[in-house]
Amino acid sequence: MTPAKLRLLAVSVILLFAAMPLLSQELNSNFARDPGQPIDQEYTDHIHKYTTDPSFISSLVDYLPASKTVPTPAKVLGDVSGAPDMLPYAEDVYKYFRQLEASSPRVKVFTIGHSEEGREMIAAAIADPKLLAGAKANDARLAQLADPRTIGLDDAKARQLVDQSWPVYYITGTIHSPETGAPTALMELAYRLAVDDAPYIKYIRSHMIVLITPVVEVDGRDRMVDIYKWHKAHPGQDWPRLLYWGHYVAHDNNRDAMAMALDLTRNVLETYLGWHAQVLHDLHESVPFLYDNTVGDGPYDAWVDPTLADEWAELGWNNVAQMQRFGMPGVFTHGDFDTWSPGYLMFLAGMHNGISRLYETFGNGGADTEKRILRPEDYSRTWYRQNPPLPVVTWSQRDNNNYEESALLSTLSYFSQNTHHFLENYYVKSKRAVQKPLLEGPAAYVIPADPADTNRQVELLKVFKRQHVEIELLSDAVTATVPAERRGDKPKQETFPAGSIVVGMDQPYSRVADALLDRQFWAAGDPQKHPYDDTGWSFAHLFNLKVVRVLDASVLKSKMTRLDDPAKLAGKISGSGPVLAVANTGQVSLLSLVYKLKGANIQVAEKAFDAEGKHFAAGSLLITAASDAHIDDHIGGVLHDLSLDASRLAAAPSVSAHAVTAPRIAFMHTWLGTQTEGWWRYVFDTAGVPFDYISTQTVASQEDLRAKYDVIIFAPVGRSSPLEILNGIPMWNNPMPWQKSELTPNLGAIDSTPDIRPGLGYDGLSHLKRFVEQGGLLITCEDTAQFAIETGLAPGVSVAPRGDARVVGSVLNTVFVTHDYPVAFGYGAGVPVISANGMAFNVSNTLNRAGGRVLMDPLTDSLDPYAKRATGRGTVDDSDEPQGRKIIEPEPLVKQQPWEPPHLDEEQTRNNPLVIPVQSRPDVILRFSDGKNLLLDGLLDKGSSIAEHAVVVNAHLGQGNVLLFGNNPVYRGETVGTYALVFNAILNYQHLNDQHLTHEPAPADKQP
């Protein structure tokens, strides 16, 4: 192209860019500026400078109004929002919001809580001063709409309240720390809402309160800024990925809306409900260019009010239409995100009668301006995306901010024009939530009073209190009609004792309780073939509790008392005598008790016993030599804090027992990923169980681990292969530090290393092996269990082929194989488990599968060894009889169950060094149920290939043990029912071989 043509092209682009805002202004008169308000020209020029394409901006954000009194974001940032090469810390973001508050009566800033590491979280309320001054009175009116019982469910009174009230629209940003654009976009959005006199913005200010939390994950934000600063200071070098976001978890912080384990979730919900907001709108960055996944895809959550689905469609499609009018490509609202799970932060609104919304915009994981090459599925034109993203694009953080602000301003404008409509919907949804027993039901969920379950019941009720669900206790025994267990059966009567817990559905937040306690079923033939997250989560199962879904509304007329403090249900001491007995019923705090009473004389009963009219299962704790004063002054308080009941006995029972002490625990993590193990750290910290936190690099450098630790927990890394764990990150480029420095002051607090690249290595593997051989316990789970298997730490165990089984975050049923094993102490016949993908194990009595041709394949015909007998006389149960000779009966074939090792006969054991000695053979503790009873909640398709296979196995190596979990027993704060499997193992780590040594070998088994 000639120079003249190049100049002509450049001039044409400039003219097009200049004309675009005018064209948009003309086509979108609803968003006209105030012609009398001056513009901050320097700031506006920088907006255009950093926008990489004229179609990536709208008339709503292609200028910034000037103010003589209110500072722009540049006052703190040193440049405009979205400028390249710059990310502000949360503290800088807050500094700007407080400058806004100090300079404008339209802005108020509040502290809404703190993170696990003590960093502040804020919310800024923006509206006309009149609305802010009346916020308290407005909230009182909204509270009545939120709880229609306060106005007697009177629609006429509700209409008056609607007429007098204004809604609250809550926007949150940067829950996912590598998604970096939202804070600066929200800084600038706040300025526009406070300063701009465009008629549509004045209308927003005068008709609603906009609430903004610019940084949700504050710990991760500051670490991400550190990483970005390191990257800019080391051009051309690889920089470390953000290994720690929050103190415990990373991406899963947006999966915490059910259990509400994290401080950020609790702070956001308290803010949302404290303001009685109507919308919770969460900002993310992972999809080009803006995916308003308010509409998303099916299946939708089965417990939301249908009005919410209508609101999703109304707001989502309107937002897309507005953005299309601005000429901004790549905006859509239908996509592959199913809205099934209520675990996302935005769903705090959906489950509390509000509107949950979420944007996915395009981001570069920092403030670099980058060339981005999209995948065909991202830029293809489809029926719902007629103006798709560009296939190749130069993308800046300013582009990201333009999209976020334009979409938010247009949707806020629409919302402000329809405040009565959305407030009426808010009331209707709340009213229907209260009327649930008389509409679709159920009337209530009843949790029968049972001392064996009290500890876990308390944990469940703590979740409900965080969710603002009302809880009551039956004052007297009540009989109610409950649904039949199977379709077609008749309903039955069930009597619930006094003290049973009632979660009535006649309350404003009934839907969240219904969603958590009900069962889930995802059809194998559902059109959605790629579930976005877990398909099952019933807390009744995951907390291992009996919970009854009651349709009989008469139960709500029973005499009940309100329960505000679940801890009051437990912590009781009965009887008299010098011995304290604490029954093991699968509680989550028995291990905690040992640490709280460190130095006390504590034993674990190895068999069940009865005393003082009570039954105590194997694994119960016996505390002896404790004085009355010590029990009253100290132990009683500890038991109350841990929600444990105890019985005082006149004398120690005559039962075999072993002494326990507080084991020395280490958590071993990789530098590949820390999220999934972070949930384990959260549970141990919450339980008050201390541990050292070491990395695989530490293990590689320490030869004598056994001198320091009794138990090493290697929790899941997250889909990492054994080679990745061993090798780490390739060493061919520069070191990547994760440590505190002047440049990176927020790194290295949890753990640090000068270079994250080295993995465990073969030295580390050798040290780990020696630790186990010397009597240590190594606990592994999912990918770390596979690591243990493939590196020889778990002799006789292999991962079972899943075949075509399909499991996606489903709750599956299990059966204990070895019920008197210490890991199983306190449990009944089985326990529900969460399974990510159906992982299970095979066990063998040899180090590899025995060779030779056999009539059956133990992997495919494990139930009946005669099912494939050779053709001949008789039936399948008969032996063939060759003619013309004396009949010699063959050795009988031993029936093998799927969880059992293949039987070895004398022929297979003769001179075979690969046969594992009897005392070293793996023990199957827990197996999946048969195929008919396997699925409890979620999705299960073609489950026969994993049915009845082992899911928890203890392998023996030297004097120690390697415990392998195919399920994740400590997951997202939700799997309270399986915590005790881990805690039992730790408490009894020295005795995991004791039961094994009492097992008699099969008759035909002989040691080589």
Side-chain angles (χ1 to χ4, degrees):
M1 186 177 291
T2 65
K5 289 184 177 179
L6 284 172
R7 285 194 296 273
L8 179 60
L9 177 61
V11 171
S12 300
V13 170
I14 292 172
L15 291 175
L16 176 62
F17 205 109
M20 281 292 293
L22 296 176
L23 182 61
S24 296
Q25 184 80 8
E26 181 181 347
L27 291 175
N28 296 283
S29 58
N30 290 339
F31 301 102
R33 302 178 191 169
D34 175 7
Q37 186 173 28
I39 290 174
D40 186 324
Q41 194 60 54
E42 182 181 6
Y43 196 106
T44 299
D45 289 344
H46 280 174
I47 289 175
H48 289 284
K49 177 182 177 182
Y50 301 141
T51 300
T52 63
D53 187 285
S55 66
F56 296 165
I57 197 168
S58 73
S59 61
L60 282 63
V61 299
D62 66 354
Y63 72 99
L64 195 78
S67 172
K68 294 181 180 180
T69 58
V70 181
T72 71
K75 178 73 177 296
V76 169
L77 300 177
D79 206 336
V80 305
S81 287
D85 308 321
M86 178 271 299
L87 289 180
Y89 286 108
E91 183 179 353
D92 297 322
V93 177
Y94 297 169
K95 180 181 179 181
Y96 176 69
F97 273 89
R98 289 195 163 104
Q99 288 183 3
L100 276 181
E101 179 185 34
S103 59
S104 172
R106 296 167 176 164
V107 181
K108 297 295 180 184
V109 178
F110 309 88
T111 297
I112 65 170
H114 293 80
S115 71
E116 283 82 0
E117 296 181 5
R119 291 181 178 87
E120 183 187 22
M121 291 178 64
I122 69 164
I126 306 172
D128 279 351
K130 180 181 178 181
L131 269 63
L132 293 178
K136 186 174 182 180
N138 184 65
D139 182 64
R141 293 189 294 271
L142 293 177
Q144 291 178 288
L145 295 176
D147 186 355
R149 297 173 300 181
T150 59
I151 57 173
L153 278 65
D154 188 327
D155 294 350
K157 292 180 180 179
R159 279 191 291 270
Q160 293 176 1
L161 291 169
V162 168
D163 290 341
Q164 298 166 5
S165 305
W166 50 88
V168 180
Y169 195 110
Y170 189 17
I171 304 168
T172 55
T174 312
I175 186 174
H176 284 165
S177 304
E179 300 169 4
T180 56
T184 52
L186 292 174
M187 291 167 71
E188 189 173 285
L189 177 73
Y191 176 89
R192 294 180 187 278
L193 291 173
V195 170
D196 202 330
D197 286 333
Y200 82 96
I201 287 186
K202 292 174 70 175
Y203 199 87
I204 293 171
R205 282 198 301 260
S206 62
H207 285 78
M208 60 192 292
I209 294 176
V210 177
L211 200 61
I212 296 174
T213 291
V215 183
V216 173
E217 178 52 271
V218 287
D219 297 336
R221 173 66 182 189
D222 285 357
R223 282 191 266 272
M224 183 64 201
V225 175
D226 278 4
I227 291 291
Y228 187 70
K229 285 170 58 182
W230 193 94
H231 156 59
K232 299 307 291 185
H234 298 82
Q237 294 190 27
D238 292 337
W239 62 93
R241 291 174 294 113
L242 190 63
L243 287 162
Y244 296 92
W245 301 10
H247 187 73
Y248 292 114
V249 301
H251 194 272
D252 260 10
N253 59 12
N254 195 35
R255 302 296 185 272
D256 186 45
M258 288 192 279
M260 294 188 62
L262 305 177
D263 287 347
L264 65 83
T265 315
R266 301 180 190 185
N267 294 339
V268 168
L269 182 62
E270 289 302 311
T271 305
Y272 176 81
L273 294 182
W275 284 79
H276 292 96
Q278 282 62 60
V279 182
L280 178 57
H281 195 150
D282 199 25
L283 304 183
H284 290 251
E285 298 170 24
S286 68
V287 178
F289 291 142
L290 190 147
Y291 173 27
D292 180 349
N293 76 359
T294 299
V295 172
D297 197 3
Y300 280 1
D301 183 276
W303 298 267
V304 299
D305 190 294
T307 297
L308 175 58
D310 296 338
E311 290 169 321
W312 285 337
E314 178 183 355
L315 290 167
W317 289 112
N318 177 270
N319 219 169
V320 171
Q322 294 289 359
M323 296 291 281
Q324 293 291 2
R325 291 179 66 196
F326 302 147
M328 302 179 77
V331 180
F332 58 103
T333 189
H334 173 77
D336 59 2
F337 170 79
D338 65 76
T339 314
W340 174 247
S341 167
Y344 312 105
L345 184 77
M346 66 168 180
F347 242 95
L348 293 174
M351 289 286 100
H352 294 83
N353 303 322
I355 304 171
S356 49
R357 299 197 66 192
L358 187 150
Y359 285 165
E360 291 280 8
T361 49
F362 204 31
N364 290 337
D368 291 359
T369 299
E370 302 273 9
K371 176 184 177 181
R372 302 295 300 274
I373 302 172
L374 274 59
R375 300 167 299 181
E377 58 266 30
D378 289 328
Y379 62 75
S380 60
R381 183 175 62 84
T382 66
W383 67 267
Y384 59 85
R385 190 173 56 196
Q386 289 292 320
N387 185 8
L390 310 182
V392 180
V393 60
T394 299
W395 190 259
S396 68
Q397 183 152 273
R398 182 65 221 185
D399 297 332
N400 167 280
N401 283 195
N402 289 341
Y403 269 80
E404 286 190 332
E405 291 184 60
S406 297
L408 284 169
L409 285 169
S410 64
T411 206
L412 288 172
S413 177
Y414 180 82
F415 200 86
S416 70
Q417 299 288 339
N418 296 276
T419 56
H420 275 63
H421 164 60
F422 289 113
L423 284 174
E424 287 171 358
N425 284 355
Y426 181 63
Y427 164 71
V428 169
K429 289 182 291 185
S430 300
K431 179 182 176 181
R432 282 206 288 250
V434 173
Q435 293 176 322
K436 194 172 178 59
L438 303 178
L439 296 173
E440 73 273 19
Y445 287 89
V446 179
I447 308 173
D450 186 344
D453 290 345
T454 302
N455 180 266
R456 296 187 308 283
Q457 289 174 349
V458 170
E459 295 302 309
L460 177 64
L461 299 186
K462 289 178 182 177
V463 173
F464 283 152
K465 296 305 292 185
R466 295 195 286 266
Q467 293 280 6
H468 288 250
V469 171
E470 298 168 4
I471 306 161
E472 295 178 291
L473 298 179
L474 287 176
S475 300
D476 304 300
V478 170
T479 300
T481 302
V482 300
E485 293 183 3
R486 291 181 175 83
R487 184 179 297 174
D489 292 350
K490 293 182 179 180
K492 59 182 182 180
Q493 297 283 303
E494 183 163 350
T495 298
F496 302 104
S500 293
I501 300 158
V502 178
V503 183
M505 295 293 101
D506 55 344
Q507 58 175 299
Y509 304 139
S510 60
R511 296 197 183 279
V512 67
D514 196 16
L516 296 184
L517 291 177
D518 204 357
R519 300 181 66 172
Q520 301 79 39
F521 177 76
W522 184 299
D526 193 282
Q528 174 62 268
K529 300 302 179 186
H530 303 285
Y532 199 79
D533 203 74
D534 293 339
T535 59
W537 57 80
S538 173
F539 277 28
H541 289 141
L542 294 181
F543 281 63
N544 194 25
L545 293 171
K546 179 179 180 180
V547 178
V548 182
R549 189 174 188 262
V550 178
L551 301 179
D552 184 355
S554 67
V555 72
L556 299 175
K557 299 177 182 179
S558 306
K559 184 179 179 181
M560 293 183 278
T561 57
R562 182 81 170 260
L563 178 65
D564 293 318
D565 182 9
K568 291 181 178 179
L569 296 179
K572 304 176 181 66
I573 300 177
S574 61
S576 60
V579 178
L580 271 176
V582 182
N584 188 335
T585 58
Q587 304 101 313
V588 300
S589 44
L590 287 184
L591 180 62
S592 309
L593 181 64
V594 172
Y595 285 92
K596 297 288 185 182
L597 301 181
K598 193 172 183 178
N601 187 359
I602 304 177
Q603 293 181 308
V604 173
E606 296 177 347
K607 300 291 182 181
F609 65 92
D610 294 304
E612 308 294 339
K614 296 181 181 179
H615 181 74
F616 295 84
S620 296
L621 299 187
L622 299 171
I623 305 169
T624 58
S627 66
D628 290 346
H630 188 50
I631 293 174
D632 294 337
D633 296 342
H634 179 59
I635 297 178
V638 171
L639 290 169
H640 177 269
D641 292 343
L642 298 178
S643 300
L644 291 171
D645 294 333
S647 298
R648 298 183 68 165
L649 309 179
S654 298
V655 62
S656 59
H658 58 257
V660 293
T661 55
R664 302 166 300 167
I665 302 172
F667 268 82
M668 180 177 74
H669 72 90
T670 72
W671 290 103
L672 300 170
T674 62
Q675 169 170 275
T676 312
E677 59 89 10
W679 286 118
W680 290 57
R681 287 191 288 115
Y682 162 78
V683 168
F684 275 66
D685 280 347
T686 303
V689 177
F691 57 87
D692 286 351
Y693 190 56
I694 62 177
S695 76
T696 49
Q697 295 177 2
T698 307
V699 170
S701 66
Q702 294 186 1
E703 293 187 17
D704 192 1
L705 294 167
R706 189 67 184 89
K708 296 184 67 175
Y709 305 116
D710 304 309
V711 179
I712 294 178
I713 298 171
F714 194 12
V717 179
R719 296 188 295 272
S720 289
S721 70
L723 280 179
E724 288 174 316
I725 293 171
L726 281 172
N727 296 333
I729 299 169
M731 299 289 290
W732 47 56
N733 292 326
N734 56 278
M736 292 186 283
W738 186 278
Q739 53 193 175
K740 185 175 182 177
S741 69
E742 185 175 349
L743 186 64
T744 57
N746 299 290
L747 302 187
I750 304 173
D751 198 4
S752 65
T753 177
D755 188 0
I756 66 172
R757 294 176 301 164
L760 177 67
Y762 288 96
D763 285 344
L765 177 62
S766 175
H767 299 163
L768 207 56
K769 181 180 180 182
R770 187 178 309 143
F771 163 80
V772 177
E773 290 175 335
Q774 292 176 348
L777 169 63
L778 176 65
I779 298 177
T780 64
C781 177
E782 296 181 332
D783 57 353
T784 63
Q786 183 162 352
F787 163 82
I789 290 168
E790 295 190 17
T791 55
L793 298 177
V797 187
S798 60
V799 176
R802 286 191 286 272
D804 54 0
R806 189 163 171 246
V807 174
V808 182
S810 307
V811 184
L812 303 180
N813 205 7
T814 65
V815 176
F816 282 101
V817 175
T818 315
H819 197 271
D820 54 357
Y821 209 85
V823 177
F825 281 165
Y827 282 96
V831 61
V833 302
I834 188 82
S835 178
N837 55 16
M839 184 179 187
F841 305 112
N842 286 328
V843 294
S844 173
N845 291 331
T846 63
L847 289 183
N848 63 358
R849 186 176 166 193
R853 186 174 182 272
V854 294
L855 289 178
M856 57 156 292
D857 182 348
L859 295 180
T860 59
D861 301 292
S862 54
L863 294 181
D864 188 355
Y866 291 100
K868 284 190 176 180
R869 59 150 286 188
T871 301
R873 65 154 298 279
T875 68
V876 70
D877 296 316
D878 293 320
S879 299
D880 190 28
E881 295 180 356
Q883 303 300 301
R885 73 181 199 193
K886 185 178 180 182
I887 301 301
I888 298 178
E889 288 295 326
E891 287 286 327
L893 299 179
V894 178
K895 181 179 180 180
Q896 176 203 340
Q897 300 289 0
W899 65 88
E900 294 177 331
H903 175 73
L904 298 179
D905 59 23
E906 292 181 57
E907 188 69 21
Q908 294 165 312
T909 59
R910 185 173 59 251
N911 194 33
N912 185 354
L914 298 180
V915 174
I916 301 172
V918 172
Q919 68 273 16
S920 298
R921 293 175 183 176
D923 297 320
V924 175
I925 301 168
L926 191 69
R927 65 169 175 85
F928 284 135
S929 298
D930 59 73
K932 184 178 179 181
N933 298 297
L934 182 55
L935 177 64
L936 290 174
D937 307 293
L939 168 65
L940 175 64
D941 188 22
K942 301 180 178 65
S944 59
S945 59
I946 63 170
E948 299 185 273
H949 278 74
V951 68
V952 179
V953 176
N954 188 39
H956 306 281
L957 187 67
Q959 300 175 38
N961 299 275
V962 178
L963 187 63
L964 306 113
F965 287 94
N967 65 302
N968 188 342
V970 185
Y971 178 70
R972 291 182 176 175
E974 299 172 4
T975 55
V976 167
T978 49
Y979 288 177
L981 296 173
V982 177
F983 293 156
N984 278 341
I986 295 171
L987 191 61
N988 300 280
Y989 81 95
Q990 292 175 300
H991 300 272
L992 297 183
N993 292 328
D994 293 356
Q995 285 295 127
H996 179 78
L997 293 175
T998 66
H999 292 172
E1000 293 295 329
D1005 283 0
K1006 292 187 179 180
Q1007 294 194 33

